[in-house]
Amino acid sequence: MSAQVSATPQFEKMALIGFGLIGGSIARAAREQGLAGTIVTTARSAKTRARVTELGIVDAVVETNAEAVKDADLVILCIPVGACGAVAEEIAPCLKPGVIVSDVGSVKGAVVKDMAPHLPGAAHFVPAHPVAGTEHSGPDSGFAELFINRWCILTPPEGTDAGAVERLRAFWAALGAKVEIMTPDHHDLVLAITSHLPHLIAYTIVGTADELAQVTSSEVIKFSAGGFRDFTRIAASDPTMWRDVFLANKEAVLEMLGTFNEDLSKLTRAIRRGDGEALSEHFTRTRAIRRGIVEIGQDSAAPDFGRPHAQLTRKPG
Ligand code: NAP
């Protein structure tokens, strides 16, 4: 699927604070689509800034967050959730009146609470979360197609200028995303079950396997295709990002974890009692959910996530 190239830039100057998987993907896609007259970026370390300069994707790489946002009409924080409040405070005095300030954080309630008090009244604050990613991070990990056909959730606080929300919606749509608007609290509840809990489970199971005494870690790696391998991809996600997600979305994650533990106990009981009917009923229901995800185009119908499989070749002689 390809999105249309817009004839005129939607923004004169876009500032991206943070240039990792998400910031780098926004820069690449916005450049390809011609969505900003000028793209300026910065990152925390001199190493990342030097690499971004080398990549040559943006118009300017500057040293400070304050410098980056000067004269920008769109500012997007593409940094870990826990850093958003301090950065909002730092950039606030340098923002141009009428600027749209957004972010891409995986948690919305905490980000709104941390950022909103610092932003001047003349700035339009429209938080966002592109529900798209990979387990990779850093300036080389981004790619322009990341957001195509994925959802981007906007969580504008009550009373946000409708024109600003529409401009950001159009921006994300031009990056290829489907856009939905919801409250920060509802976002955090939905993402707790669809993203945060799965990550917690993956981090747990991979850690458990690593600590097993009866099965060696080389056996775990060798026989990983039995299901474990798919958890390892998720458990390889960025430690700083995910630490911040669990600290910032504590309430919703604990609520979902409570429900999960109850359901795990039910399945544990079914296994202990040899209750095949309960297991079958449960697994049939979950299989239907996977089919639903494929049907709405959020994943491929190809077996094993479409991984290539080696061909059997007949040995001569
Ligand atoms: P990433 O690849 O690790 O990149 C993070 C970037 O933020 C780096 O350029 C880092 O600079 C910079 N940074 C960190 N603290 C900063 C600060 N105080 N001031 C300026 N720059 C700072 O992370 P990512 O995966 O793009 O994630 C960024 C955000 O997107 C997170 O809030 C995450 O919740 C959200 N998100 C992630 C995914 C995903 O799958 N990864 C999906 C959706 C949303 P250095 O390199 O110099 O440290």
Side-chain angles (χ1 to χ4, degrees):
M1 178 184 162
S2 66
Q4 291 290 303
V5 175
S6 73
T8 48
Q10 293 182 354
F11 295 93
E12 292 281 316
K13 178 182 168 186
M14 172 171 77
L16 297 171
I17 298 189
F19 197 98
L21 173 69
I22 303 296
S25 296
I26 294 175
R28 288 168 171 92
R31 162 79 355 119
E32 266 188 36
Q33 297 297 310
L35 300 180
T38 307
I39 305 176
V40 175
T41 192
T42 186
R44 186 177 40 177
S45 67
K47 187 173 171 234
T48 299
R49 294 196 299 269
R51 179 61 189 143
V52 180
T53 306
E54 256 171 40
L55 287 170
I57 299 160
V58 299
D59 299 290
V61 182
V62 296
E63 298 218 344
T64 67
N65 298 332
E67 212 182 322
V69 303
K70 196 169 167 282
D71 296 325
D73 45 4
L74 174 62
V75 172
I76 309 180
L77 272 56
C78 307
I79 60 179
V81 164
C84 287
V87 171
E89 185 174 12
E90 186 189 341
I91 62 173
C94 313
L95 293 169
K96 167 171 126 169
V99 61
I100 295 175
V101 178
S102 189
D103 75 305
V104 293
S106 307
V107 178
K108 297 275 52 103
V111 166
V112 171
K113 190 162 73 53
D114 291 351
M115 286 182 67
H118 299 297
L119 299 175
H124 304 296
F125 181 34
V126 188
H129 175 207
V131 187
T134 74
E135 68 279 25
H136 293 196
S137 50
D140 288 279
S141 61
F143 52 99
E145 300 78 22
L146 178 65
F147 308 112
I148 296 176
N149 206 23
R150 300 270 86 95
W151 286 98
C152 181
I153 301 172
L154 306 185
T155 64
E158 242 182 65
T160 307
D161 178 68
V165 177
E166 174 51 29
R167 286 189 77 195
L168 196 68
R169 191 204 60 73
F171 175 80
W172 277 103
L175 298 185
K178 303 187 279 187
V179 182
E180 186 142 325
I181 294 179
M182 55 177 80
T183 65
D185 286 353
H186 190 64
H187 166 278
D188 289 353
L189 204 60
V190 172
L191 270 291
I193 187 66
T194 58
S195 170
H196 306 169
L197 198 59
H199 276 80
L200 193 69
I201 293 165
Y203 281 125
T204 312
I205 199 167
V206 175
T208 305
D210 186 46
E211 283 156 22
L212 284 178
Q214 310 93 311
V215 181
T216 65
S217 38
S218 68
E219 283 174 314
V220 169
I221 292 165
K222 189 167 149 190
F223 299 114
S224 67
F228 183 73
R229 185 177 58 179
D230 294 334
F231 284 107
T232 62
R233 186 191 70 74
I234 301 177
S237 301
D238 188 68
T240 306
M241 169 188 159
W242 283 97
R243 176 203 63 194
D244 282 8
V245 167
F246 291 115
L247 294 178
N249 201 20
K250 180 173 155 182
E251 301 302 331
V253 169
L254 289 178
E255 187 179 331
M256 291 304 166
L257 201 51
T259 310
F260 174 80
N261 279 329
E262 283 171 25
D263 291 343
L264 189 60
S265 300
K266 279 187 213 153
L267 286 179
T268 309
R269 214 176 310 124
I271 294 171
R272 190 175 295 122
R273 290 179 179 166
D275 186 349
E277 204 177 315
L279 294 175
S280 281
E281 188 273 323
H282 189 93
F283 301 159
T284 306
R285 195 154 50 85
T286 55
R287 187 178 226 191
I289 292 174
R290 170 72 196 166
R291 287 205 186 107
I293 290 169
V294 170
E295 267 164 33
I296 63 165
Q298 289 296 300
D299 207 351
S300 153
D304 198 17
F305 301 121
R307 286 186 179 107
H309 286 256
Q311 300 295 310
L312 262 187
T313 49
R314 190 186 277 262
K315 294 221 168 67

